[in-house]
Amino acid sequence: MKSILFKSIHDVPRHDWESLQQDHSCTQSYEFWKVAEQARLNDFRYRYVIFYDELDQPVAITSLYTITTDVAIFAPNALKRVLTWIRRFSPRFFMLKMLECGSPITINKPFIAKSGISHADIVTALCQLLLDLAQEQGHFLIVVRDFEPDTQALQPLFERHSYHLVDSLPNTYLDVSWSNPGEYLAGMKSYYRSKLLKHLRINEKNGIRHEFVDDFGALAEILWRQWLVVHEHASEYQREVLNPEFYREFSRELGERSKVILFYRHDELIAHALLLIDGDVLRWLYVGRTEAANDSLYIYVAHKVVEFAIHLGMARVEMGLTTYAIKKDLGAYMSPIRLALRSPSRWINPFVGFYYPLLNSTPKISNKSVFKNASCVDS
């Protein structure tokens, strides 16, 4: 098996890429990677890999990128305070150069492979490629992401190549089984229904309304500024830094798969939710608002995302990382994610699996029994 590494999505043979991606998530599509690359987020530098068999037929694809990031990105509060103090004098302390395989802005599988192809062979070729690149370019750590429950069989394949599997922030999902929003509310237990309706009434009293928009490129500057307010006040997780170009490219390249819900207080645009229709899954990617406040608006936003998914007939809503309490009150459940880590240094690598969990704290998976016909599963 051979692999070819491409330095830009524009260099990738589009037919080869799409022949493997077409039945998979659109977040692994040619257009999606054009958005990521052309938006020039952070200091991301992207690479794309196509694996070919002995007949030069494409059998697997994946994406790589380098990023300078915080090795203690999920640090517990005590450590976070110490790091904040140290970085007043040394801003790049614990900020290290990493090579990652996966997606920088969505949750995704490490690679896509043609049906019938040995995953063990793909993993062996991929691990060798990652190791060679990391050693050549001087990266401190290799990160392969993201391992959700349906990738259970892949995890031991990476462990055979000296990777350490560690917990990441959980994802959240809501499985949609209602034909209309009324059924969704009726299916809730009275405590959660009354709690939600209380917050919805508060927003209605405050004159909050919403509308769905497909083409939002002209609003890119406003939406980015709203996102920045949320980003700068986030206490749980901060990494990718968006810009207006990201919103413009997202709207243009992904077309009718890209959606935004705009929220108004009377005639003033005060918030938005950025969405992606990915097959039968509605992905809630980002949220923004004009001012940071501890109020009911976020609950209203989240509820309208759920309503939109029901109207579209989606099978599932991906509600993303963090703000777990609110999402669980709406019926979403936490779903574990794992990362595979390896240092290219054979002297450092044995310690990665021990020290990374000490530097990074992730919440325990705990779910609520929100609906009448479901039971709570805590793990």
Side-chain angles (χ1 to χ4, degrees):
M1 182 178 298
K2 71 175 183 179
S3 62
I4 300 180
L5 185 69
F6 301 92
K7 294 185 177 180
S8 169
I9 191 64
H10 300 286
D11 298 332
V12 173
R14 185 164 183 167
H15 178 269
D16 288 356
W17 189 276
E18 291 181 341
S19 69
L20 295 169
Q21 181 275 328
Q22 61 183 346
D23 295 325
H24 295 272
S25 169
C26 72
T27 61
Q28 293 166 309
S29 68
Y30 189 92
E31 293 87 355
F32 192 88
W33 283 105
K34 280 181 69 179
V35 172
E37 186 175 310
Q38 292 173 181
R40 302 181 185 277
L41 308 180
N42 297 52
D43 63 344
F44 291 118
R45 291 181 58 207
Y46 301 99
R47 298 291 183 268
Y48 310 91
V49 185
I50 301 182
F51 296 91
Y52 293 89
D53 63 16
E54 63 278 2
L55 299 176
D56 286 333
Q57 296 299 308
V59 295
I61 56 175
T62 191
S63 303
L64 320 174
Y65 54 93
T66 60
I67 175 67
T68 302
T69 195
D70 189 347
V71 75
I73 193 168
F74 309 133
N77 289 332
L79 177 57
K80 194 176 293 184
R81 287 192 292 269
V82 172
L83 291 174
T84 299
W85 183 85
I86 293 174
R87 286 172 180 162
R88 292 168 56 191
F89 308 98
S90 180
R92 298 186 70 80
F93 182 76
F94 260 30
M95 301 291 289
L96 301 173
K97 191 177 179 185
M98 299 187 187
L99 174 64
E100 298 196 3
C101 174
S103 171
I105 53 179
T106 57
I107 305 301
N108 238 322
K109 293 184 173 75
F111 60 85
I112 292 173
K114 184 178 179 180
S115 178
I117 297 298
S118 166
H119 282 184
D121 291 344
I122 299 295
V123 171
T124 297
L126 175 59
C127 288
Q128 188 59 55
L129 174 65
L130 291 170
L131 184 59
D132 291 344
L133 277 175
Q135 291 175 338
E136 175 189 327
Q137 298 176 2
H139 298 292
F140 174 78
L141 194 65
I142 304 168
V143 181
V144 181
R145 53 185 313 151
D146 294 280
F147 293 91
E148 293 195 275
D150 64 347
T151 64
Q152 192 71 33
L154 280 181
Q155 297 179 32
L157 301 181
F158 282 90
E159 289 178 309
R160 292 178 196 171
H161 295 275
S162 302
Y163 279 80
H164 306 268
L165 273 296
V166 300
D167 291 330
S168 182
L169 290 182
N171 205 351
T172 51
Y173 290 102
L174 175 66
D175 292 330
V176 178
S177 59
W178 311 277
S179 59
N180 59 67
E183 283 187 8
Y184 164 72
L185 282 172
M188 283 181 152
K189 293 180 178 177
S190 59
Y191 170 78
Y192 295 102
R193 183 172 59 253
S194 62
K195 188 176 181 180
L196 173 58
L197 289 174
K198 171 189 171 184
H199 288 289
L200 296 182
R201 284 193 295 269
I202 290 172
N203 281 273
E204 290 167 6
K205 184 179 178 181
N206 291 335
I208 306 299
R209 62 181 179 86
H210 65 282
E211 65 177 83
F212 304 103
V213 176
D214 293 332
D215 184 357
F216 47 87
L219 296 172
E221 188 77 26
I222 296 171
L223 301 182
W224 166 68
R225 290 189 182 280
Q226 289 183 349
W227 172 85
L228 195 60
V229 169
V230 174
H231 176 76
E232 290 179 340
H233 288 84
S235 59
E236 296 174 278
Y237 176 69
Q238 291 175 310
R239 195 174 77 147
E240 69 270 22
V241 180
L242 305 186
N243 54 35
E245 192 63 19
F246 173 79
Y247 279 93
R248 277 190 285 269
E249 292 292 331
F250 197 89
S251 178
R252 178 169 54 236
E253 291 290 345
L254 296 170
E256 53 187 38
R257 289 176 295 187
S258 64
K259 308 287 180 183
V260 71
I261 311 179
L262 303 178
F263 297 88
Y264 293 86
R265 182 184 294 118
H266 303 298
D267 293 326
E268 179 190 3
L269 178 58
I270 60 168
H272 76 275
L274 181 66
L275 309 173
L276 178 67
I277 297 175
D278 189 5
D280 62 358
V281 176
L282 181 67
R283 294 185 184 241
W284 180 13
L285 299 183
Y286 296 106
V287 66
R289 55 184 300 176
T290 53
E291 58 183 30
N294 185 16
D295 56 19
S296 295
L297 180 59
Y298 186 81
I299 298 171
Y300 183 86
V301 171
H303 176 252
K304 296 310 169 189
V305 171
V306 172
E307 276 197 343
F308 189 47
I310 295 171
H311 281 306
L312 290 175
M314 296 286 103
R316 174 185 273 194
V317 187
E318 181 189 67
M319 303 188 77
L321 315 181
T322 73
T323 58
Y324 297 110
I326 291 173
K327 293 168 182 174
K328 288 193 291 183
D329 278 355
L330 291 173
Y333 58 90
M334 299 172 72
S335 180
I337 296 175
R338 306 192 82 194
L339 306 175
L341 309 179
R342 174 176 177 167
S343 171
S345 167
R346 62 189 180 95
W347 304 108
I348 296 175
N349 192 53
F351 303 100
V352 168
F354 176 76
Y355 282 105
Y356 186 88
L358 294 181
L359 296 173
N360 293 277
S361 173
T362 56
K364 178 185 176 183
I365 302 290
S366 61
N367 293 311
K368 296 180 179 179
S369 179
V370 172
F371 300 106
K372 298 171 184 175
N373 61 350
S375 58
C376 175
V377 179
D378 289 330
S379 57

